[in-house]
Amino acid sequence: MFQNHDSKQHWHGKPIVLVGLMGVGKSTVGRRLAARLGLPFVDADAEIESAAGMSITEIFERFGEAHFRDGERRVIARLIDGNQKVIATGGGAFINDDTRALILEQAVAVWLNAKPEVLAERVRRRDTRPLLRGRDPRAVLTELARVRNPLYAMAPIHIASNQAPHEATVAAILKALHE
């Protein structure tokens, strides 16, 4: 279920940042993990929308992905302030070199990983993901996994998020954090 990639990586009260492809459950698992740890939960995408005064879809449509990624980087840098919390990031956040370096240096990154076919089934339920608009979710997610998974793998903790209940994923994260 989990792999603690670096046995020296223990959770010392740093922010916990969940990374992975869209649909892997970062927000849902993050809320539950924060509740179990008695910590605040922050959804980086919600913070970006609040800061911009518009939805992520609107940001993509009006300003493009590069503008969105720049705002995303700034918001995540503000969220990683040394205080204990659980942060769910958008699927592309950890791909940005600066954002990834900040997360790896000042937080504990947890990669939630699932197969593209599992993710495609999950994301079909909502039409709010700009990278999927008018495209085949499985094909897009397969390509995103090919490109992004080697970068996500830089996270010290890897957790499988397949067809198990969210609580099983939370339990696996808790176990990995305390090893």
Side-chain angles (χ1 to χ4, degrees), residues 3-61:
Q3 176 184 11
N4 194 341
H5 217 54
D6 176 359
S7 60
K8 295 183 202 119
Q9 176 73 42
H10 295 285
W11 179 53
H12 294 292
K14 293 179 175 182
I16 299 164
V17 179
L18 304 180
V19 302
L21 288 171
M22 67 180 87
V24 78
K26 297 179 299 286
S27 296
T28 305
V29 168
R31 277 186 198 88
R32 292 175 186 215
L33 178 64
R36 291 275 300 273
L37 292 169
L39 296 176
F41 170 75
V42 184
D43 186 308
D45 282 352
E47 291 292 314
I48 292 162
E49 290 179 337
S50 177
M54 62 182 80
S55 73
I56 289 171
T57 300
E58 289 172 307
I59 297 168
F60 265 77
E61 288 171 355

Side-chain angles (χ1 to χ4, degrees), residues 144-155:
L144 287 173
R146 186 188 67 73
V147 171
R148 293 179 176 182
N149 283 359
L151 296 170
Y152 293 144
M154 296 171 79

